[in-house]
Amino acid sequence: MENYMDYIDWRGDITFDMCPFTEIDGLIFSQLAYIEFDERLVPEAGDEEEMTLRNLGKAYFNGKVNGENFVPGSDELLKAMIKCDRFKNIGVMSYVSEFDAEKTEQFGAITVRISDGTYVVAFRGTDATISGWEEDFKLCYMCPVVSQTRSAEYLRKVMNKLDGTFYLVGHSKGGNLAVYSSMEQKKSNIKRIRAIYNYDGPGFLQDIVDSEKYKNIMPKVQSFMPQSSIVGTIMYHNEDFTIIQSDKRGIAQHNAINWQMRGKSFKTLDKFQNASIIFSEANKAWINEIDRKRRAEFIDIVFRILKAGSDTVTGFSEDFPKVMNNMLRSFNNLDRDTKRMIRTTVRQMILLYSKTVTTSLRGRIKNE
């Protein structure tokens, strides 16, 4: 099955001046945003000195010691990009990578010049930290979260320093940030945005989707989701979306390396698989039937318990018995009312999910 690495092999000798930016290029740049570069090496937007991706890649590999990126295959992607004509000479600027556990903030972004006067701003998705995932779940009860505010500030700063037009891209939470950051720009900057590509990123609360800011940028937004999307179907969307075939199942489809493509386009389907539809409906039922205050309390406590086990997602598999013991101790230390609230909310979530499954199955039988 072809993926974006095959696209680089096939398209690598064709520059952006020869063939314009495509939806797969956007996905590739959204994956580039996950890589942990040295911020000190990358110039700010508008600086006279410019660093090419090839030179940044060389510095990255020369200085890399036991580094680990959250997205598997990131190093292989960068190696392929800095060897091909399409990507190696693009200008790289304004790279940022921020993390603050106390503020539950995890934010990253990078801007690239793909041709004269044309730029791509790529926002990073969620990394392997529990605080990064906690910020994602906060989207279920608040907007903006810290990373959304930072994305709007970042885009405003870059657009004010650079003349020309922009593509905004991001995978997972990065897709949500690409959409949100554009909403917070002045009209003259919004006009300079050619397109916004959201690759399996979560949506927004209903009041945001209903806002004029959201409606103003919707014609520019295109979402791409795998056939069994989980992350991308969280909360509400109102933009056009493309369903992509994947050669994996379940949550593994969120990893974009598993998305199938042919030539310069994705291989698409007409509808989501049933598991994705059921999850999406159950998520919306949870948001609609559990008030915002209880959602906030529940998410805060659950992640407090998770952090007692490990600071990172990978840490849960490294010493599972110890992690579980620490989490159980954290739960047992909660007061009686808090424990009752946790149990009640979990039971309600299970009932809502069961109800959603039953309704969906009845609908399928009726249609058959």
Side-chain angles (χ1 to χ4, degrees):
M1 299 295 182
E2 295 180 4
N3 56 32
Y4 58 68
M5 295 298 290
D6 297 299
Y7 173 86
I8 294 175
D9 288 340
W10 172 68
R11 209 72 175 166
D13 61 340
I14 302 175
T15 66
F16 285 100
D17 290 326
M18 298 165 63
C19 181
F21 182 85
T22 71
E23 58 197 28
I24 299 177
D25 292 315
L27 180 63
I28 290 170
F29 284 123
S30 74
Q31 301 302 289
L32 181 70
Y34 281 108
I35 299 178
E36 287 286 354
F37 294 113
D38 186 338
E39 290 185 62
R40 297 169 298 179
L41 296 176
V42 186
E44 289 292 321
D47 286 0
E48 292 184 5
E49 293 185 6
E50 183 178 276
M51 171 166 277
T52 64
L53 183 63
R54 176 171 54 183
N55 288 338
L56 178 61
K58 288 180 179 179
Y60 169 81
F61 288 115
N62 288 338
K64 186 176 174 64
V65 180
N66 295 324
E68 180 181 356
N69 285 303
F70 177 53
V71 176
S74 293
D75 284 4
E76 289 72 18
L77 171 65
L78 182 58
K79 287 176 183 178
M81 292 179 75
I82 64 178
K83 290 179 181 178
C84 71
D85 293 338
R86 189 164 182 81
F87 297 106
K88 67 182 181 182
N89 291 320
I90 61 175
V92 185
M93 62 199 79
S94 294
Y95 170 77
V96 298
S97 179
E98 301 170 354
F99 175 74
D100 189 322
E102 291 185 3
K103 295 180 180 179
T104 60
E105 175 206 1
Q106 173 260 316
F107 173 73
I110 192 168
T111 299
V112 299
R113 180 185 57 79
I114 59 174
S115 61
D116 289 341
T118 304
Y119 301 89
V120 179
V121 176
F123 293 99
R124 177 180 295 172
T126 309
D127 62 14
T129 62
I130 298 300
S131 293
W133 282 97
E134 181 179 6
E135 188 179 35
D136 284 3
F137 278 83
K138 282 185 174 183
L139 293 171
C140 291
Y141 67 83
M142 67 180 293
C143 182
V145 295
V146 179
S147 63
Q148 288 175 324
T149 300
R150 283 291 295 116
S151 70
E153 294 170 349
Y154 175 92
L155 182 60
R156 187 176 301 115
K157 181 178 179 181
V158 167
M159 294 192 78
N160 288 343
K161 286 187 174 183
L162 299 172
D163 295 324
T165 58
F166 291 77
Y167 292 96
L168 311 184
V169 304
H171 172 260
S172 193
K173 182 179 74 175
N176 177 281
L177 299 183
V179 176
Y180 182 84
S181 64
S182 66
M183 291 167 49
E184 297 299 316
Q185 304 307 308
K186 57 187 179 181
K187 290 183 179 179
S188 58
N189 278 352
I190 292 176
K191 289 180 180 179
R192 296 164 59 202
I193 297 173
R194 290 190 178 186
I196 305 162
Y197 290 161
N198 177 0
Y199 298 99
D200 207 29
F204 297 86
L205 294 170
Q206 187 66 60
D207 58 336
I208 301 298
V209 172
D210 291 337
S211 69
E212 287 302 314
K213 286 183 178 180
Y214 186 91
K215 293 175 182 177
N216 287 339
I217 54 95
M218 272 307 93
K220 297 176 182 285
V221 179
Q222 177 70 43
S223 284
F224 301 87
M225 306 179 196
Q227 61 203 67
S228 291
S229 175
I230 298 297
V231 178
T233 57
I234 293 174
M235 294 182 293
Y236 294 90
H237 292 266
N238 198 29
E239 70 273 16
D240 293 333
F241 59 87
T242 300
I243 304 172
I244 303 169
Q245 293 187 44
S246 174
D247 59 0
K248 297 294 182 180
R249 294 183 178 182
I251 193 63
Q253 291 191 9
H254 185 57
N255 188 344
I257 192 66
N258 300 320
W259 296 5
Q260 297 178 27
M261 50 201 68
R262 182 183 294 112
K264 58 181 181 180
S265 300
F266 292 112
K267 293 178 68 174
T268 62
L269 296 169
D270 294 329
K271 60 182 180 179
F272 289 111
Q273 292 183 342
N274 289 325
S276 180
I277 297 171
I278 291 171
F279 176 84
S280 177
E281 292 174 351
N283 172 260
K284 292 178 178 65
W286 182 70
I287 290 173
N288 291 332
E289 298 194 27
I290 297 179
D291 66 80
R292 191 173 297 205
K293 181 180 178 182
R294 185 142 67 93
R295 272 179 270 153
E297 292 174 347
F298 178 77
I299 289 171
D300 176 70
I301 294 167
V302 166
F303 275 92
R304 197 189 314 164
I305 294 170
L306 290 173
K307 288 177 183 177
S310 175
D311 294 329
T312 65
V313 175
T314 53
F316 281 83
S317 60
E318 291 172 355
D319 192 351
F320 187 72
K322 181 180 179 181
V323 167
M324 286 303 299
N325 184 57
N326 290 339
M327 289 171 60
L328 287 171
R329 186 183 300 117
S330 178
F331 177 80
N332 289 332
N333 287 335
L334 297 174
D335 62 72
R336 182 182 300 175
D337 289 341
T338 301
K339 288 180 182 178
R340 185 183 299 114
M341 186 273 291
I342 291 289
R343 293 190 182 101
T344 300
T345 304
V346 169
R347 280 197 298 268
Q348 190 171 358
M349 290 170 65
I350 293 172
L351 287 172
L352 287 170
Y353 182 79
S354 300
K355 182 179 178 181
T356 302
V357 172
T358 301
T359 302
S360 178
L361 290 174
R362 285 175 179 171
R364 285 176 58 192
I365 293 171
K366 183 178 180 180
N367 291 333
E368 291 174 357

